[in-house]
Amino acid sequence: MSSLSASEAFLETPPVDVPAPLSVRVEDLHVTYRASLERRPTVARRLRRLGRGERVVREVHALRGVSFDVLQGQVVGVVGANGAGKSTLMRALAGILPPTQGRIEVHGRVSTLLALGVGFNAKLTGRQNVTLGGLAAGLDREEIARRYTEIADFAELGEDFMDMPMLTYSSGMYARLAFSVAVHMEPDILIVDEALSTGDARFKEKSFARMQELCAQARTIFLVSHGLSTITQLCTEAMWVDKGALVERGDPAKVVSAYRRFLKVGATAVTQEDV
Amino acid sequence: MSDVQVYTPFRRGLPRLGPYAREVWARRQFALELARTEIRTENTGTGLGQLWLVLNPLLLAFVYYVLTSILSGSPGGAARLAHIMAGLFLYYFFSSAVIGGAMSILSSSRLILNTAFPKMLLPISVVLVSFLRFLPSLGIYAVVHVLAGQPVRWQMLWGVVPLALVLVFATGLAMLLATVNLYFRDTKSFLPYTMRVWLYLSPVLWLPEQVRGSLAFLRWANPLFPLLGSWSEAVVEGRAPQAWMLGAGAAWAVVALLVGAWALLSREREFAVRL
């Protein structure tokens, strides 16, 4: 565990002439789930467990006192082992999981591209899903209609596929459309959680370029990835999360090498790969 | 740069109601679009397509007409058919809204895990689906009403009041059951039987005046008694409904909405981990 406090870590970010405005502020964030031990919680099972005096719920302390500030225009890479709390942190920033304790301040609109699939209904066509996704994200119909062509062009699925149910899509096509929707929502903050791994090399390159474009427009990006070279290439700073706490934060190369030492792995092709 | 969002732990289990209501309103188009796409996709595989929207309740009304005729030992005439049809159409709307609403949160798990939006919109959208399906059946009823020689008077417009109250009542129950179903997954399995019994206890297959003796408690214990009773008085008989029925119906509707909204809002923060 590093001795750096959040404010000291903050000083390590690359110096800028005029400090950019604040984008995200997280103060002493704790997220605790009360996870049910039942796969399918039913009345009968609950009664049976109560009869035996067993506890039905278990508390999972997924985040334990995370604090940091991120300025606009930063690309923040987030690394950490499986189950470290990265996705919980991203969901908390997106407002999907409310804090159990602490405070999150988010300046602007958040667009998410999260790991466990996108909010699409596979029975609907690509076009319908784009509309629904946009409306759920809080855009109005006119804004969506204006962006639709851009979204479809960027995803490069072809008009035929845009009007076919998403059941017929390959996983790569699915990911391309999801990415295209997320980056075209004109987010102030874009959260990408290990969502690009299914795209092909060309699309990956295109996604990187688009993310860099967003950064140039002073948007903030959070990028969760196990592809450590992606973090060093794309990010302006990095965070290492372990067991629900922020272990280290600062220059991506430094954080990634510290994380590698922790994992006891070298810079092999396997750890470099992929977003 | 658009607005600042601040996420803090919910106080007393409830989010701040003002901003929440504004969020719901801002995303009303989403609920509507979700309902529309649901209707568009549901009958696409069948030969008669959207015609099933009107055929289903119509055939059901004839089945029950035959049943009540046999049980009562007389055909009962066109007036009884009109009463059964009007009541059954409204009941059908109510029960599909409640049964669908109970599944609404669970079946949208992907959306919930990936987008931050007020979850209240999901049961609301399901109630809208049922309402949009119900509307064409009003046209069939109008034809049967005229053919049966029932009076056509302006007092029939009173029907709008019980219809609106049933809408509110169903929305409240849908929100309550959508929440309960996350904790007790058997809720969904019990519901069809509950709804079947509730139909027999409501003035659909019999007239409100027919409850006597030991069954008189249904007048105050069954929320659907005043709601469906006043609907039948207005729409079938063409007279202003009794004031007590409208009053009792309104009270049930408001209580259901408050309890349902409270249940959903106070548990909403847990939805993402209960799915």
Side-chain angles (χ1 to χ4, degrees):
Chain A
M1 182 70 75
S2 157
S3 60
L4 284 179
S5 73
S7 56
E8 280 167 326
F10 174 58
L11 291 175
E12 284 202 356
T13 52
V16 275
D17 297 328
V18 185
L22 187 68
S23 178
V24 173
R25 167 168 287 168
V26 175
E27 293 168 18
D28 189 33
L29 174 66
H30 289 257
V31 174
T32 307
Y33 305 123
R34 290 185 73 229
S36 172
L37 295 176
E38 304 284 12
R39 287 201 130 264
R40 271 174 61 90
T42 63
V43 178
R45 287 187 191 170
R46 177 161 293 200
L47 287 177
R48 233 176 287 147
R49 278 185 182 274
L50 279 178
R52 294 191 213 125
E54 289 176 5
R55 286 186 62 190
V56 183
V57 288
R58 190 167 62 100
E59 291 211 334
V60 180
H61 210 148
L63 288 177
R64 306 157 183 260
V66 173
S67 303
F68 59 82
D69 285 352
V70 170
L71 303 183
Q72 280 177 28
Q74 301 278 7
V75 184
V76 184
V78 183
V79 294
N82 297 126
K86 303 183 298 291
S87 295
T88 303
L89 179 60
M90 295 304 112
R91 291 215 159 90
L93 293 183
I96 294 166
L97 287 171
T100 314
Q101 190 189 316
R103 186 172 181 278
I104 303 170
E105 189 181 311
V106 175
H107 295 249
R109 196 207 317 260
V110 178
S111 179
T112 50
L113 187 54
L114 299 179
L116 294 174
V118 276
F120 288 127
N121 178 345
K123 273 191 289 181
L124 304 178
T125 65
R127 187 188 295 270
Q128 288 169 332
N129 270 303
V130 169
T131 309
L132 264 184
L135 290 171
L139 299 182
D140 62 41
R141 272 170 204 285
E142 277 171 32
E143 284 177 286
I144 296 166
R146 227 181 317 121
R147 284 173 207 175
Y148 176 76
T149 328
E150 269 180 71
I151 293 176
D153 287 350
F154 189 89
E156 292 180 46
L157 304 182
E159 273 307 298
D160 289 351
F161 272 105
M162 286 306 285
D163 287 314
M164 273 161 71
M166 289 187 67
L167 291 168
T168 59
Y169 289 21
S170 72
S171 57
M173 291 164 78
Y174 218 90
R176 283 156 78 138
L177 185 57
F179 181 81
S180 182
V181 170
V183 294
H184 286 91
M185 290 298 164
E186 283 175 30
D188 300 304
I189 298 159
L190 175 67
I191 298 177
V192 181
D193 186 352
E194 297 173 50
L196 293 179
S197 47
T198 42
D200 57 32
R202 201 175 71 83
F203 190 76
K204 223 174 268 178
E205 221 163 80
K206 203 170 147 184
S207 335
F208 284 10
R210 176 68 192 177
M211 283 199 270
Q212 268 154 352
E213 212 175 284
L214 285 174
C215 278
Q217 300 164 0
R219 322 277 179 164
T220 310
I221 300 180
F222 285 86
L223 186 64
V224 175
S225 178
H226 290 292
L228 298 178
S229 72
T230 310
I231 301 279
T232 45
Q233 276 169 30
L234 267 179
C235 300
T236 54
E237 60 172 304
M239 287 180 193
W240 168 19
V241 180
D242 191 48
K243 298 194 179 99
L246 192 58
V247 180
E248 192 160 339
R249 181 181 172 202
D251 177 58
K254 273 191 192 166
V255 173
V256 164
S257 66
Y259 176 56
R260 263 203 200 106
R261 279 197 301 278
F262 165 78
L263 289 180
K264 295 194 179 92
V265 292
T268 63
V270 177
T271 56
Q272 299 285 17
E273 258 301 294
D274 229 3
V275 199
Chain B
M1 176 68 53
S2 47
D3 54 338
V4 179
Q5 303 257 20
V6 174
Y7 304 117
T8 49
F10 287 173
R11 290 211 174 75
R12 294 188 311 273
L14 287 182
R16 279 157 59 222
L17 295 178
Y20 192 93
R22 275 195 294 279
E23 279 279 288
V24 170
W25 181 246
R27 284 178 166 79
R28 61 192 184 281
Q29 288 287 347
F30 165 67
L32 201 63
E33 184 65 23
L34 200 59
R36 278 205 205 115
T37 45
E38 174 66 34
I39 290 183
R40 239 179 268 149
T41 49
E42 69 183 351
N43 283 319
T44 40
T46 60
L48 293 174
Q50 302 295 5
L51 207 56
W52 277 111
L53 285 181
V54 291
L55 272 181
N56 261 333
L58 190 66
L59 294 174
L60 203 63
F62 278 115
V63 168
Y64 279 115
Y65 175 70
V66 171
L67 178 75
T68 52
S69 300
I70 291 169
L71 287 180
S72 65
S74 74
R80 183 198 280 166
L81 180 64
H83 168 77
I84 289 178
M85 216 173 242
L88 201 63
F89 288 176
L90 189 59
Y91 187 85
Y92 205 62
F93 152 55
F94 169 76
S95 79
S96 70
V98 171
I99 294 175
M103 283 307 289
S104 61
I105 304 272
L106 202 58
S107 59
S108 302
S109 50
R110 285 191 126 188
L111 199 59
I112 291 173
L113 286 175
N114 287 290
T115 316
F117 67 103
K119 266 56 106 189
M120 189 179 267
L121 287 167
L122 294 170
I124 289 178
S125 166
V126 169
V127 174
L128 266 175
V129 170
S130 305
F131 187 69
L132 292 175
R133 279 195 209 128
F134 161 76
L135 286 179
S137 65
L138 281 180
I140 308 180
Y141 175 74
V143 174
V144 172
H145 185 89
V146 172
L147 289 179
Q150 293 295 109
V152 179
R153 303 200 194 103
W154 72 264
Q155 280 88 344
M156 289 173 75
L157 293 175
W158 273 103
V160 175
V161 180
L163 177 58
L165 292 177
V166 168
L167 191 73
V168 174
F169 186 62
T171 308
L173 270 191
M175 291 195 281
L176 176 68
L177 292 172
T179 310
V180 171
N181 192 38
L182 280 188
Y183 295 87
F184 304 107
R185 303 284 164 94
D186 349 44
T187 311
K188 186 201 154 220
S189 320
F190 281 124
L191 263 182
Y193 303 102
T194 316
M195 298 312 282
R196 181 63 62 93
V197 172
W198 205 343
L199 168 66
Y200 301 150
L201 295 177
S202 304
V204 172
L205 306 182
W206 38 268
L207 295 168
E209 301 84 80
Q210 286 175 309
V211 288
R212 271 176 247 106
S214 59
L215 284 179
F217 74 95
L218 286 177
R219 293 161 61 90
W220 54 265
N222 178 3
L224 289 181
F225 188 97
L227 289 170
L228 290 173
S230 53
W231 166 255
S232 175
E233 284 182 341
V235 171
V236 183
E237 298 169 37
R239 61 189 168 95
Q242 300 172 55
W244 82 265
M245 284 210 196
L246 292 182
W252 278 114
V254 171
V255 168
L257 188 69
L258 290 179
V259 171
W262 172 81
L264 188 139
L265 289 178
S266 63
R267 292 292 181 163
E268 186 173 352
R269 54 170 299 159
E270 278 198 342
F271 287 177
V273 293
R274 286 279 181 177
L275 290 166

